[in-house]
Amino acid sequence: QVQLMESGGDSVQTGGSLSLSCTASGDTATARRVGWFRQASGIEREAVAAIWTGSFGTHYADSVQGRFTISLNGSRTTVYLQMNNLKVEDTATYYCAADLPPYGRDWYRVEGYDYWGQGTQVTVSS
């Protein structure tokens, strides 16, 4: 069992930056994949980025490549999402999720993740 807690959501203007955090508790020893997803009003939840706590390998959605960076702290309990050059279309509730073994095949599939946080709101205005 893993519990996840997101923080760092805020309101910013276009071009601004935010850093989100996802802190895990519970079974943090088992290697896992941690993903960031977002859901805007009336739109399906979509994958943003993911990182493997074992290898530190990362994945990014095309829409955020080059603007967002996902990273992991040394104790492998907190995953960060650094978001730069924010756009209005980045406005959404951001969720982190953890995938424990057996791992889902594709990092971007919502159904591949076992545990979810409550979400943190990011609002970008022009």
Side-chain angles (χ1 to χ4, degrees):
Q1 290 261 350
V2 175
Q3 293 79 45
L4 303 170
M5 176 75 75
E6 304 98 336
S7 62
D10 206 343
S11 297
V12 296
Q13 292 192 320
T14 303
S17 298
L18 281 175
S19 181
L20 305 183
S21 299
C22 171
T23 299
S25 58
D27 178 11
T28 59
T30 301
R32 59 201 179 279
R33 178 170 60 196
V34 178
W36 281 99
F37 290 75
R38 65 187 181 187
Q39 187 165 22
S41 179
I43 298 176
E44 288 188 356
R45 193 169 296 189
E46 63 174 358
V48 174
I51 189 166
W52 289 93
T53 62
S55 67
F56 287 74
T58 59
H59 306 275
Y60 292 95
D62 289 343
S63 60
V64 305
Q65 182 77 47
R67 300 189 298 124
F68 291 9
T69 303
I70 191 170
S71 61
L72 184 64
N73 71 342
S75 62
R76 308 186 185 199
T77 57
T78 300
V79 172
Y80 304 98
L81 185 68
Q82 177 64 40
M83 306 186 294
N84 297 327
N85 191 22
L86 283 161
K87 304 176 180 180
V88 171
E89 51 264 40
D90 294 318
T91 295
T93 301
Y94 283 70
Y95 300 89
C96 68
D99 179 19
L100 272 64
Y103 303 114
R105 187 182 71 176
D106 301 311
W107 74 272
Y108 51 85
R109 295 190 186 278
V110 170
E111 60 268 26
Y113 290 78
D114 307 298
Y115 302 96
W116 291 82
Q118 294 299 305
T120 186
Q121 179 67 36
V122 172
T123 302
V124 185
S125 57
S126 58

